[in-house]
Amino acid sequence: GLLQVVKQCVRVPVFVMIRPRGGDFLYSDREVEVMKADIRLAKLHGADGLVFGALTEDGRIDTELCTALLAVCRPLPVTFHRAFDMVHDPLVALETLISLGFERVLTSGCDSSALEGLSLIKRLAEQVLPSALCVTSGFFPPGGGITERNLQRILEGSTASEFHCSARSARDSGMKFRNPNVAMGASFSAPEYSIKVADVAKVRTLNAIAKNIL
């Protein structure tokens, strides 16, 4: 439902995240069934690309599963998401993803944020393509903790031409009656009556910064 409404409202390409649950990226057979079904439905309802990631128990790219999922995704482009940041050896993982046919790798440089992982992002970009083709086509969109305050430094330091961020802000719920005794989630979750929404002002500011640099 979300995909259908988004496609009616925007003109930019929409890539759909295939993620059956939170937590790690080691998936069961049933979860794989869900992922394949989600891919088929996303394609049916107009997705322009897919985003997923899968690892083995020892922190390597799950080549068998990724190959199977990529086959279901065809002919749409596919991005490997920040599961990459949890791999045992990012340089080896990168070569694997290129050989499998992923068109992008979303990463924070295997650190807590793209700013902290900037040196690795740059190193990965340099390793991959002596011709810098992947870098200029946005092969490594940095993501993780990107804000108006650090975007310029991240883009200049990574030589990336694309980036990923939530650009969100909190909005108070419109509910007037509020039951303080009940929460619809874990005790450590976000406040019940606070809603995270995309912030138009932040998006415009980030776009302006990026256009000035790129």
Side-chain angles (χ1 to χ4, degrees):
L2 175 62
L3 175 59
Q4 291 182 61
V5 172
V6 169
K7 288 290 292 184
Q8 292 170 8
C9 296
V10 305
R11 295 292 174 264
V12 296
V14 178
F15 280 47
V16 175
M17 179 81 78
I18 305 300
R19 182 97 159 95
R21 58 163 171 77
D24 62 36
F25 305 99
L26 181 65
Y27 296 114
S28 69
D29 291 343
R30 290 299 188 196
E31 288 167 338
V32 171
E33 289 181 27
V34 172
M35 295 172 82
K36 289 180 178 179
D38 283 342
I39 291 170
R40 294 187 185 102
L41 287 169
K43 291 172 66 177
L44 179 65
H45 292 289
D48 298 292
L50 288 308
V51 183
F52 67 80
L55 305 178
T56 61
E57 62 182 10
D58 58 352
R60 303 179 193 282
I61 304 298
D62 190 332
T63 55
E64 183 178 352
L65 176 53
C66 285
T67 299
L69 294 177
L70 282 165
V72 184
C73 291
R74 290 192 188 103
L76 297 182
V78 183
T79 297
F80 194 92
H81 61 39
R82 287 190 61 203
F84 181 84
D85 293 324
M86 307 301 284
V87 298
H88 180 264
D89 186 330
L91 299 180
V92 172
L94 175 60
E95 295 297 336
T96 301
L97 295 176
I98 292 173
S99 68
L100 288 173
F102 283 90
E103 298 198 6
R104 289 181 180 84
V105 177
L106 176 61
T107 179
S108 64
C110 300
D111 214 319
S112 57
S113 73
L115 188 59
E116 278 73 24
L118 201 52
S119 61
L120 178 60
I121 295 173
K122 187 174 182 180
R123 182 183 173 192
L124 290 167
E126 289 170 348
Q127 170 191 320
V128 183
L129 299 157
S131 65
L133 176 61
C134 280
V135 179
T136 55
S137 65
F139 189 83
F140 280 110
I146 292 181
T147 68
E148 310 94 304
R149 295 182 297 277
N150 60 27
L151 177 59
Q152 179 173 346
R153 183 175 169 188
I154 289 170
L155 289 180
E156 291 176 345
S158 65
T159 66
S161 60
E162 298 180 1
F163 64 97
H164 171 80
C165 65
S166 61
R168 291 180 300 183
S169 62
R171 184 182 71 195
D172 191 48
S173 165
M175 287 293 297
K176 290 185 168 47
F177 172 76
R178 303 184 179 189
N179 186 347
N181 301 315
V182 179
M184 295 293 122
S187 58
F188 55 83
S189 63
E192 197 68 33
Y193 296 99
S194 179
I195 305 167
K196 293 287 188 179
V197 297
D199 189 316
V200 174
K202 287 185 178 182
V203 172
R204 286 176 174 157
T205 299
L206 289 160
N207 272 335
I209 293 170
K211 287 177 180 177
N212 185 54
I213 296 170
L214 303 175

